[in-house]
Amino acid sequence: MSRRSTTAEPTCDARGAALPETPIRRRRALIFVVVAFTYVISYFHRAAPVVVGPVIAGELGLDPAQLGLMASMYFWAYAAAVFPSGLLSDGWGARRTMAVFVLIAALAGLAFAFGSGIGTLAASRFVIGLGVSVVYVAALRIFSDWYGPDELATYSGLLLAFGNIGALLSTAPLTAAIGAIGWRDVFTIVAALTAVAAVVCWFVVVDTPAEYARRGTPAPKRAAPAAGGGSALADLRRAVATVFSNPGVYLIGVLVFSFYGTFMGVGSLWAGPYLHTVYGLSKPEAGHILMLFPLGMTIGCPLAGWLSDKVFGARRPVLLFGGVLHLLSYVPLVFFTGDLSGWMLGALFFWYGLSGGAFVVCFAASKELFDPRYAGAAVGAVTMFLQCGGAFYQYVIGVVIAHPDLVGAGGDPVALYGRAFAVPMVGLALCLVVFTRFRERGGFAAARTASGRPSTAAVPGLVPAAAPRSKS
C-alpha cells in the first residue's frame, strides 16, 4: 500500500504497529517542529564559516590552512561522535541524547563567541560538532518509530530542508548581522538559542508513540531482560558488530564521504573566498549568491526523499543519479573558473544545492539494511563517513589554496581555485564508481507492504525490538 489512509485504516509506524490517528499525528507534528528548529541551529553552526571565517581570519590573522583547520574541527568531532550518538539514541533514548548534547554545544558556542586565538576557536568548534552530532541521528531514530517506511525518506528530506534554513541564515543574513553588531555578539545570541533548543527538546520530544500513550498513567516496572537477551554491553557489542560487518554500510559511506564532503568543503567554506578572490565580489554580493546553495538544497532534499519513497520506490537510483548530476556542477568550477557572469554563478550554486540534496536518501538506505532496533547505529555509522568527508575536503582544499606551488598555480588565483576544486570533483567521481556495487536488500518494499497492515502496539523499552510481521 503506497499511500496512507487518513480515515478508514489506522496509521502504522515503521514496524507496522497501528497508531491512533489524531493524538499521534498532532504529537508527531509538534515533535517534527521542535526537532527541525534544533536542526536549523545545528546547520547554522555547520555552515557559518563560509561567512564568518574570512572575518575571523582578518581579525586574528589566520592563514588559509589555519582557517580550514578551524572550520574542519566541527566535522572531525561530528565524525568521531556520531556513531556513539546512534548507539546512545538506540539505548539511552533519542530525546535525552539530543537535549543533553545540544546543551553541551550551546556552552561551546559561547566559548567560540569569546575566543581570541586559533586554539580556543578550533577547540570550541570541535565541541560544537560533538554536541550537535546527535541531532540528525537522534531525529532519524525518532522518525523510524513515528513514521512509516514509505514516509521516512520524505521526512528525512524535509528535515534537511528545514536545516538548510540555518544554512540560508549563515549567508547574507549573517553578513548583515555581523556588520550590525559584530560576529561575537551574533554567536553569543546563537549560543543562547542553542540552549533554548536543548530545553525545548527535553520537555516536548517523545521517543516513541508507545511512550506517548503511557504518559499520564503510572509507569510500570521494567521487566527483567528476556532469557538470552544479554546485557546492555552485549547488546552494544552486537550492534557494533552487526552494523560494521555489512558491506552495504561501507559502500554508502564511501559515496557520502565525497557526495556530502565535497559540497560541505566548497559550499560551506571555500565558496566565499572563491567569490571574493576570483570575482572580486563584496561580502554582501557574495552572500546573496551563496544563499542560492542552501536554497537549492531546501528544494532538493525533500524532492529526493519524495522521489525515493513515491516514484522509484528505491534508494540506489536516487543516490547514484543524484551524485552524477551533482558531479556536473564541478565542470564550470574547474574548467571555467573566472569566466562566469553573476547570473551564471547564481544558477550554478542553486544547482549545486539542488543536486546535492540527493545525498539525504543515504539515511533511509542505511537504516533499511538492518533490523529496526539498529536504526540509530546504522544512521550513525553512515553519518560518520559523511562528516569525515566534510572535514577532509574543507582541510585539503585549504591546504591546496595555502600552497599554490603544490598544484603549479603560482600567483594566479583563477588557476589556483580551478585546481583546488578539481580535488572534490575527482573524489566524487571515484566514489560514484565504487557505489555502483551497492545493491538494496529489498527490505524497503517488504517494509512498505508490512506498514499497510495493522499490527501489535509498538514495543516499549530502551532498545526497540522488531515487531513480528503479520502472516498472510
Side-chain angles (χ1 to χ4, degrees), residues 381-444:
V382 168
T383 308
M384 180 175 63
F385 285 95
L386 179 148
Q387 298 299 332
C388 281
F392 174 81
Y393 283 105
Q394 282 195 343
Y395 180 68
V396 169
I397 293 172
V399 169
V400 173
I401 293 172
H403 301 88
D405 291 340
L406 289 175
V407 290
D412 183 0
V414 173
L416 177 59
Y417 274 91
R419 293 169 192 179
F421 291 158
V423 174
M425 182 182 186
V426 172
L428 178 56
L430 292 175
C431 290
L432 281 167
V433 171
V434 174
F435 182 72
T436 58
R437 299 180 61 85
F438 177 75
R439 297 293 182 270
E440 295 180 78
R441 289 174 48 191
F444 178 38

Side-chain angles (χ1 to χ4, degrees), residues 153-233:
T154 301
Y155 278 89
S156 300
L158 282 172
L159 183 59
L160 258 296
F162 277 95
N164 276 285
I165 294 174
L168 282 167
L169 292 173
S170 71
T171 54
L174 177 57
T175 301
I178 290 173
I181 62 175
W183 72 271
R184 295 186 185 278
D185 286 344
V186 169
F187 281 87
T188 300
I189 294 170
V190 172
L193 290 174
T194 307
V196 169
V199 173
V200 174
C201 281
W202 181 269
F203 287 105
V204 174
V205 173
V206 184
D207 285 334
T208 66
E211 180 183 337
Y212 177 64
R214 290 197 303 269
R215 288 194 169 188
T217 62
K221 292 183 179 179
R222 184 168 297 165
S231 66
L233 182 58

Side-chain angles (χ1 to χ4, degrees), residues 232-249:
L233 182 58
D235 289 339
L236 179 65
R237 289 173 177 167
R238 188 179 304 113
V240 173
T242 299
V243 170
F244 284 105
S245 64
N246 191 314
V249 167

